[in-house]
Amino acid sequence: MIVSSFTFSLNDIEAQTVSKFDIDITGITQTVDVRFGNGTSFTTGLNESYDAGYIFTGKPANPEDDILGGTTGIYTVLVDDTLSQGIGFMIQTLPYAEIGDMKISLGVNIAADGSETITINNITAFPAGHRIIIENKNSSTFTELQGVGDSYVASLTAAEPEKGRFFLHTTNDVVAPAGPGSMTTPNSTNNDIDTDIVGSCGIDAPNGNVLVTTTPANGFTNQYNTSILLDVNGDFTITDPNWIEGVYTISFSCRDKVGNGPTIMGSFGSI
C-alpha cells in the first residue's frame, strides 16, 4: 500500500494555489498533483507541510532505485533535490513565478514489462500561451500534453525504474532556435580521422540538443545520427567521432530545451 509520508493541510495548499494539473498513468487510480502558487511554501525544494511523498519499506540505497516496491506508479521528483533523496512525490508545490520555465523530473515504475500511457488531466488556470511538454531523454523527443485527450505512450521495463528519462516542462517558449550556428573544429580542409567536432547552435538554444549529420551520410560512426546535449551557451563537442576517410559537409539540426525546432544550420565544409 502506498501512503503519504508527510503531513500537510490541503486547505492551506488550495488557498494559495494559482494553477495546477494532475499526472496520470494507465490503470492506476493514484494521481500526481502538481501545483503552482504564490505562497512562501511553494518552492522548488522540499517543504514538508506542502509537498507529499511516498513511504517506502526502506530508503533506496541509490536515488535511482525502485521506490514503489515493484508496483506500477508514477511520481515526480523534487525539482531542487539538494540532498539527492530520490523520493517520489504525489504532491509537489512550485513557485508560480517560474511556471514559464519549469523542468520537473518524473519517475515511472511498472510491475510487468509493457507500454504505459501518461496523460495530463484537470489542468486548472494554466496561463494563456503556456504549454506542458513531456520530454523523453532516451529518444530526445518532446510531446505536448496540453489538449484534451493528449497522451504519451512509453515502452517500459519492470527491472529498470525510470528515473532521469522523463521530464515535464511548463513553458511559454514557442520560438525555435534561430542561430546562427557555427563550427570551429574541424577548422581546415584536411583533418585527421580522430578530429573532434566542436560547434554551436547559438545562444538561443541553451541546454537543448543537436543532431549532427554529414553529406554524404555516415561520415563518422561513433556518434553518427545521435542527439547530443548542448551546454548553457548552446555549444557542443563530439570527442573522437571516428571519421571515415572521404570528403564531407556537416549540418546541425538544433532544438532548444523544450523541443522547439529543429532548425537546420550549415552546411559546414568541405572537409
Side-chain angles (χ1 to χ4, degrees):
M1 180 178 178
I2 300 171
V3 296
S4 173
S5 64
F6 303 129
T7 59
F8 62 96
S9 170
L10 190 58
N11 289 336
D12 289 343
I13 299 174
E14 289 283 3
Q16 298 178 61
T17 296
V18 177
S19 181
K20 62 182 180 179
F21 58 84
D22 296 334
I23 310 167
D24 298 282
I25 190 168
T26 310
I28 303 299
T29 57
Q30 166 256 326
T31 293
V32 179
D33 192 349
V34 175
R35 293 170 177 258
F36 292 86
N38 290 322
T40 57
S41 296
F42 285 75
T43 68
T44 56
L46 175 62
N47 188 314
E48 294 188 12
S49 299
Y50 282 68
D51 301 316
Y54 290 125
I55 285 179
F56 30 74
T57 303
K59 183 175 179 179
N62 302 297
E64 68 273 13
D65 288 347
D66 175 15
I67 68 166
L68 298 184
T71 62
T72 297
I74 190 167
Y75 50 91
T76 63
V77 179
L78 282 179
V79 171
D80 186 12
D81 189 7
T82 55
L83 300 179
S84 298
Q85 297 116 316
I87 298 172
F89 285 83
M90 55 189 292
I91 296 178
Q92 189 168 172
T93 52
L94 299 165
Y96 185 78
E98 299 179 38
I99 198 170
D101 188 26
M102 187 63 68
K103 181 179 180 180
I104 306 165
S105 178
L106 295 181
V108 183
N109 192 69
I110 59 174
D113 296 357
S115 295
E116 299 290 342
T117 301
I118 299 170
T119 57
I120 302 295
N121 294 301
N122 300 321
I123 301 173
T124 303
F126 211 67
H130 286 57
R131 301 180 295 155
I132 303 171
I133 296 169
I134 187 169
E135 174 188 4
N136 183 340
K137 278 198 173 297
N138 286 13
S139 58
S140 297
T141 55
F142 298 80
T143 305
E144 190 163 347
L145 297 178
Q146 185 73 23
V148 175
D150 287 354
S151 62
Y152 183 78
V153 179
S155 179
L156 303 169
T157 303
E160 298 179 7
E162 299 288 1
K163 286 186 181 180
R165 176 180 176 186
F166 301 106
F167 294 85
L168 280 184
H169 297 267
T170 62
T171 180
N172 56 4
D173 181 5
V174 296
V175 180
S182 62
M183 185 176 72
T184 55
T185 304
N187 56 8
S188 64
T189 302
N190 297 310
N191 294 271
D192 187 88
I193 62 170
D194 294 327
T195 299
D196 295 346
I197 300 173
V198 181
S200 177
C201 286
I203 60 174
D204 55 352
N207 300 311
N209 61 70
V210 59
L211 187 68
V212 179
T213 55
T214 64
T215 304
N218 298 312
F220 49 93
T221 56
N222 284 358
Q223 297 193 54
Y224 175 74
N225 211 32
T226 299
S227 184
I228 297 150
L229 294 180
L230 303 170
D231 66 16
V232 294
N233 299 310
D235 302 335
F236 67 93
T237 298
I238 302 177
T239 303
D240 186 15
N242 193 22
W243 288 89
I244 298 170
E245 288 191 27
V247 179
Y248 303 96
T249 60
I250 298 178
S251 296
F252 306 157
S253 297
C254 302
R255 293 183 184 271
D256 65 17
K257 65 181 180 180
V258 295
N260 293 313
T263 302
I264 305 299
M265 301 181 187
S267 54
F268 307 101
S270 295
I271 300 167

